[in-house]
Amino acid sequence: MPRIRRRLQLITPVAGLLALGGCAAAVPAQVAPHATDPVCASVVLAAPESLGEGLPRRDTNAQATTAWGDTSAPVVLRCGVEPPGPTTERCESVETPGGVRVDWIVVEGDDGWTFTTYGREPAVELHVPAQVAAERSTAFVDQLGSAVSLTEQLRSCV
């Protein structure tokens, strides 16, 4: 009996390490200032499981965030970012497959594209890395409409 107990004591930690080794690492994300808004939990839960081929949903390490794609260059959604005020940046109104219209401020930077909802609270931000934008269209933004429509619309693009 002591021999069996000793073997079990050796096997248990090894099995635990093997189980952990199979887990995919969470995508690092930065928590937004208003991430604790309860609507953000609903937005993240309603986000699609995929944004298209090669962009499956990934776990993140921050509240009110989710991600898609390769963990080396993930598309990251953050809910609860600071709502943008009036701006001269490009503002696009995107109609989603379900008929919901979402206004996004679109900013291109060296590191990729950032889409931030305009006129909605809490505000939602989607960052598309340059590597992803170079390989595909960012038209998948329309797939976020049903999730983002859970936020309150206060204003629209002009």
Side-chain angles (χ1 to χ4, degrees):
M1 189 74 145
R3 247 173 127 179
I4 293 173
R5 189 172 302 143
R6 176 73 179 137
R7 283 186 182 162
L8 285 175
Q9 288 173 339
L10 292 173
I11 290 172
T12 302
V14 171
L17 287 173
L18 289 174
L20 287 175
C23 295
V27 170
Q30 186 176 21
V31 121
H34 307 289
T36 58
D37 187 312
V39 173
C40 284
S42 298
V43 168
V44 170
L45 288 172
E49 288 301 312
S50 170
L51 292 179
E53 188 176 329
L55 293 174
R57 190 163 171 172
R58 303 284 183 200
D59 290 331
T60 58
N61 66 353
Q63 179 178 355
T65 65
T66 193
W68 295 268
D70 191 305
T71 55
S72 66
V75 173
V76 177
L77 178 141
R78 299 187 318 139
C79 183
V81 296
E82 203 59 49
T87 181
T88 58
E89 296 288 350
R90 187 170 115 203
C91 191
E92 296 287 332
S93 190
V94 177
E95 188 167 338
T96 67
V100 175
R101 188 170 291 281
V102 176
D103 293 340
W104 297 92
I105 295 173
V106 183
V107 178
E108 182 180 12
D110 292 338
D111 63 341
W113 292 85
T114 301
F115 297 82
T116 307
T117 55
Y118 179 75
R120 291 187 173 268
E121 289 187 20
V124 176
E125 175 188 275
L126 183 74
H127 180 72
V128 180
Q131 177 182 336
V132 173
E135 296 170 357
R136 66 178 65 229
S137 164
T138 57
F140 55 73
V141 170
D142 71 347
Q143 295 178 42
L144 299 171
S146 61
V148 172
S149 70
L150 299 173
T151 62
E152 184 179 6
Q153 183 175 1
L154 303 171
R155 295 179 305 284
S156 298
C157 288
V158 177

